[in-house]
Amino acid sequence: MTNFYFAGVDTVYLANKYKTPLYVMSENIILDRIREIRTNFLEKYKNTEAFYASKAFLTKEMARIIKRENFGIDIVSGGELYTAMEVDFPAEKIIFHGNNKTEEELEMAVQYGVGRIIVDNLYELSLLNHITKKYNKKANILFRVTPEVESNTHRYIQTGQLDSKFGIPLSQGIIFEAIEKALNLPYINLLGFHFHIGSQILHNKNYKKAIENTIKLMKEAKSRYGFITEELNIGGGYGIKYTDDDERRPISYFTDAAMEEIETNCSKYKLKRPKVIIEPGRWIVGEAGITLYTIGSIKRIPGVRTYVSVDGGMTDNPRPSLYQAKYKGIIANKANEEATEVVTIAGKCCESGDILIWDLKVPQVEAGDILAILSTGAYNYSMASNYNKIPKPAVVMIKDGVDRLIVKRESYAEMIKNEL
Ligand code: LLP
């Protein structure tokens, strides 16, 4: 009987030591991904920058790792900003996104001196102008544009199409009104444009189209207003490997194609190539995480299906129920045993849709076995909820074969501490 090892550590040992459900992250994988971005993008192309999209996975320790690696961070809320501030994350290396930043959030960002604010709409532009004036501080901004392309991913995580809540459309003239306004506001420093077409993208076709459309806007802004785009932020969304059906894509698969498209279009329109910024989230942390569960009840419906239930579910991983996301699972304490049956891994929530994996091939399973689900490092901990009053799991980080707790398991008392 051989156990499943992750990041050089026996996962059954981890499950016993920290209990389940448990998120386990590998710092070495995170560092490898960062290094790959540094070597194959930042050092390969001059005048580029990378920001980690912290919505994928953010804790104070994760913010410290990103800070130590000298990467920037992309945030979308006061809470993410607060987490970064708690570890003294350098303000100039923070980008603030979001389609409805509140006045309080913008004040917090302006006071802290956040490096870039991605302005999503005209309402935000005037709100931000009012705040910058109040604090007598200039804000560096980029406009988020809707590049009007579809991305090849689940509808819920597409963001580049015209019918989207994010950004200013390219085709309807509002973008020019926005540029003109921004150029005339004394406390606003417009630096360029940003788009993000969606998440878990595995093909470049529409990404390249989005680049082409945005560079056409750069050309138009130059000819209408003499505006020179200094920065082009091409978002994140780079897809990862979840199951054996997926292929792992190196960062250069996306960034080489993007840089080529940028160079081609800039020279076509005789534009200076702006600084290019990328914002990968999932690509950095997704495959760096797994979740461990303990198997409990097993329900066999002869001729229909076998439900194998675990001690977590949609509360720690809502992605299968939200996006029909697929995952790979391994019975950690029977890693080398032959798979003899097909089962469905169910969560413990009061929802029929709380299924983590449909039709997983496993060896003979029994209560007490440990299930490891792979590639859960992105958008699992960050989207976890307390539905059914289930406490959030602990998070363990592993570096060089040594495990350390980075987030304590939530207790029942902590879960209800704000309830009066
Ligand atoms: N930049 C912007 C402006 C974004 O909106 C996002 C993700 C990213 C970067 C990073 O995308 P990534 O590289 O992580 O794919 N909860 C969904 C994903 C939502 C992504 C939202 N924005 C999921 O679990 O698939």
Side-chain angles (χ1 to χ4, degrees):
M1 203 160 69
T2 315
N3 292 344
F4 169 60
Y5 276 62
F6 177 70
V9 179
D10 182 348
T11 56
V12 177
Y13 152 82
L14 291 172
N16 286 330
K17 178 171 175 184
Y18 297 100
K19 310 298 173 221
T20 57
L22 180 71
Y23 295 116
V24 182
M25 302 289 295
S26 161
E27 186 167 343
N28 296 92
I29 296 180
I30 295 170
L31 295 177
D32 281 350
R33 295 293 198 270
I34 290 177
R35 228 160 274 144
E36 190 178 325
I37 292 172
R38 196 172 284 130
T39 313
N40 294 342
F41 175 64
L42 298 174
E43 287 168 4
K44 184 166 176 187
Y45 301 101
K46 286 202 185 72
N47 204 19
T48 49
E49 254 189 284
F51 286 70
Y52 166 61
S54 71
K55 71 204 84 179
F57 174 76
L58 183 64
T59 69
K60 290 203 296 186
E61 185 62 358
M62 184 64 197
R64 283 186 206 108
I65 293 171
I66 295 297
K67 179 180 161 186
R68 216 179 296 133
E69 290 300 306
N70 210 20
F71 260 44
I73 206 165
D74 138 2
I75 56 144
V76 287
S77 69
E80 287 182 352
L81 176 56
Y82 183 81
T83 311
M85 284 163 66
E86 281 289 293
V87 303
D88 295 319
F89 205 93
E92 71 279 4
K93 292 186 95 70
I94 301 178
I95 298 185
F96 193 6
H97 287 273
N99 65 306
N100 188 26
K101 305 172 191 77
T102 64
E103 193 164 345
E104 291 74 22
E105 287 174 323
L106 285 172
E107 292 223 1
M108 198 171 157
V110 169
Q111 279 178 291
Y112 194 59
V114 160
R116 300 285 179 273
I117 295 176
I118 308 289
V119 173
D120 191 88
N121 50 64
L122 281 166
Y123 166 74
E124 186 184 333
L125 182 66
S126 41
L127 193 58
L128 181 62
N129 184 52
H130 160 79
I131 293 165
T132 45
K133 209 151 127 191
K134 177 169 151 192
Y135 290 100
N136 194 24
K137 276 186 165 186
K138 229 174 161 157
N140 291 317
I141 73 154
L142 273 69
F143 278 122
R144 175 160 185 167
V145 298
T146 321
E148 299 182 24
V149 300
E150 297 261 322
S151 53
N152 198 359
T153 188
H154 191 278
R155 192 166 68 84
Y156 286 3
I157 45 179
Q158 289 179 343
T159 51
Q161 69 285 8
L162 175 62
D163 186 359
S164 159
K165 72 169 182 170
F166 297 106
I168 304 172
L170 288 181
S171 64
Q172 304 191 332
I174 317 163
I175 186 64
F176 297 110
E177 190 188 327
I179 296 170
E180 205 173 336
K181 240 186 200 149
L183 292 175
N184 288 309
L185 291 173
Y187 293 92
I188 296 288
N189 184 27
L190 177 65
L191 291 172
F193 305 100
H194 157 68
F195 67 79
H196 172 78
I197 64 169
S199 207
Q200 184 57 12
I201 308 287
L202 291 163
H203 303 285
N204 285 321
K205 188 164 162 259
N206 292 343
Y207 195 37
K208 284 160 66 173
K209 185 78 191 141
I211 290 172
E212 187 191 340
N213 292 352
T214 309
I215 293 181
K216 272 190 203 145
L217 169 71
M218 285 164 44
K219 177 199 75 156
E220 195 57 30
K222 186 179 170 203
S223 59
R224 287 195 193 196
Y225 311 107
F227 174 70
I228 307 289
T229 300
E230 295 294 338
E231 293 186 7
L232 175 63
N233 176 327
I234 57 175
Y238 310 136
I240 64 160
K241 182 178 167 78
Y242 280 101
T243 69
D244 293 337
D245 295 337
D246 301 327
E247 222 179 288
R248 164 162 149 65
R249 300 239 191 268
I251 199 71
S252 56
Y253 170 82
F254 306 103
T255 47
D256 284 352
M259 291 311 285
E260 193 192 323
E261 190 67 23
I262 292 169
E263 299 287 357
T264 308
N265 282 278
C266 283
S267 52
K268 178 168 154 197
Y269 297 119
K270 301 197 173 47
L271 297 167
K272 181 189 89 167
R273 197 267 270 165
K275 174 187 271 189
V276 177
I277 294 151
I278 61 166
E279 301 174 332
R282 185 192 319 262
W283 194 87
I284 294 176
V285 289
E287 290 169 58
I290 64 168
T291 310
L292 300 177
Y293 303 93
T294 303
I295 288 170
S297 65
I298 296 170
K299 175 179 178 178
R300 295 182 194 277
I301 314 170
V304 179
R305 183 178 294 283
T306 298
Y307 287 96
V308 170
S309 293
V310 295
D311 53 356
M314 65 190 292
T315 42
D316 59 78
N317 184 1
R319 300 193 69 262
S321 36
L322 273 174
Y323 321 116
Q324 292 83 49
K326 304 248 180 321
Y327 284 91
K328 175 173 173 167
I330 295 170
I331 305 300
N333 54 314
K334 296 177 175 169
N336 272 9
E337 285 181 31
E338 204 193 327
T340 51
E341 61 174 335
V342 174
V343 303
T344 288
I345 306 294
K348 70 191 260 63
C349 294
C350 274
E351 295 277 336
S352 290
D354 180 24
I355 300 293
L356 291 173
I357 303 177
W358 294 96
D359 301 329
L360 176 68
K361 273 192 180 161
V362 289
Q364 204 63 44
V365 277
E366 55 208 318
D369 282 347
I370 302 298
L371 172 75
I373 294 191
L374 312 193
S375 297
T376 59
Y379 304 106
N380 274 229
Y381 172 75
S382 63
M383 294 207 296
S385 78
N386 285 129
Y387 180 48
N388 290 170
K389 280 273 196 290
I390 294 173
K392 288 183 190 162
V395 187
V396 167
M397 185 69 82
I398 297 178
K399 180 152 190 222
D400 302 333
V402 180
D403 49 287
R404 67 184 195 276
L405 189 66
I406 65 160
V407 180
K408 288 194 279 186
R409 185 175 300 283
E410 198 174 28
S411 67
Y412 290 138
E414 282 156 353
M415 209 169 32
I416 62 164
K417 70 178 183 302
N418 290 334
E419 299 181 12
L420 305 175

